[in-house]
Amino acid sequence: MIKKLFMFIVLATTVAIYGGCGSSDDTPAEELLNYETKQTIPSTNGVFGTDSTYTKVAVANEDNKIVIYDRTTKKWGEESETGHSDVVNVIKYTADGKKLVTGGDDERVRVWNVESTSAQAIISIDRNGADITDIELTADGKKAVTTAENSTAK
């Protein structure tokens, strides 16, 4: 448990400091996952989300599709069939770890079923005119509040 917590803190800290740097080189989060997995990971913009047990890490790849890494099996799942049409800014798991909510510069919020090894989009909501910058979920995962670059919350 302590090792998992330490890895999460290091991963969260490096992404908070360096995440989203936008270069073609690996971000510190990617470097840490490369170290842990000993394999190349999908190219990302430094945005990631973990489930409540820190065993699954979801990232958005360069095509803005969702890919999940399972830290217990040390394997990457298949990339999602669909994705955002622009950069993904936020990835959040529901408390039960069964769904993932993402938001991005395409002004959409997407909800994903992640009970399998790949993310499957189950709903897409248009935010109307503003890039999604953050998402907070209720404890039961049934409601979400989004913030956008135009300083609104819905």
Side-chain angles (χ1 to χ4, degrees):
M1 177 65 179
I2 292 174
K3 182 180 177 184
K4 287 181 186 177
L5 183 58
F6 174 75
M7 289 296 289
F8 173 74
I9 290 169
V10 170
L11 185 60
T13 303
T14 54
V15 170
I17 295 170
Y18 300 106
C21 55
S23 72
S24 60
D25 297 329
D26 285 351
T27 65
E30 291 172 319
E31 290 172 7
L32 183 60
L33 284 173
N34 277 332
Y35 173 78
E36 182 172 312
T37 63
K38 309 285 190 282
Q39 58 183 303
T40 303
I41 68 167
S43 179
T44 71
N45 67 351
V47 176
F48 73 100
T50 63
D51 66 355
S52 61
T53 61
Y54 310 112
T55 56
K56 291 188 178 179
V57 180
V59 298
N61 68 15
E62 61 189 2
D63 295 327
N64 303 309
K65 294 181 179 181
I66 303 301
V67 186
I68 299 171
Y69 175 70
D70 187 324
R71 294 184 65 222
T72 55
T73 64
K74 306 252 186 259
K75 292 185 180 177
W76 286 97
E78 297 294 320
E79 73 177 16
S80 59
E81 291 180 20
T82 61
H84 284 265
S85 60
D86 206 340
V87 175
V88 176
N89 295 325
V90 59
I91 299 174
K92 299 276 177 106
Y93 274 90
T94 56
D96 63 8
K98 295 180 180 179
K99 291 185 177 60
L100 194 66
V101 182
T102 60
D105 286 355
D106 61 357
E107 304 169 7
R108 291 189 173 271
V109 174
R110 289 184 180 259
V111 180
W112 307 85
N113 177 0
V114 292
E115 292 186 87
S116 66
T117 58
S118 64
Q120 299 171 346
I122 54 177
I123 191 169
S124 179
I125 304 164
D126 191 353
R127 183 66 165 64
N128 294 328
D131 298 349
I132 306 298
T133 56
D134 200 7
I135 297 171
E136 288 300 324
L137 303 170
T138 57
D140 64 6
K142 293 183 179 180
K143 294 180 182 175
V145 175
T146 63
T147 58
E149 73 173 1
N150 65 358
S151 300
T152 61
K154 287 188 179 181

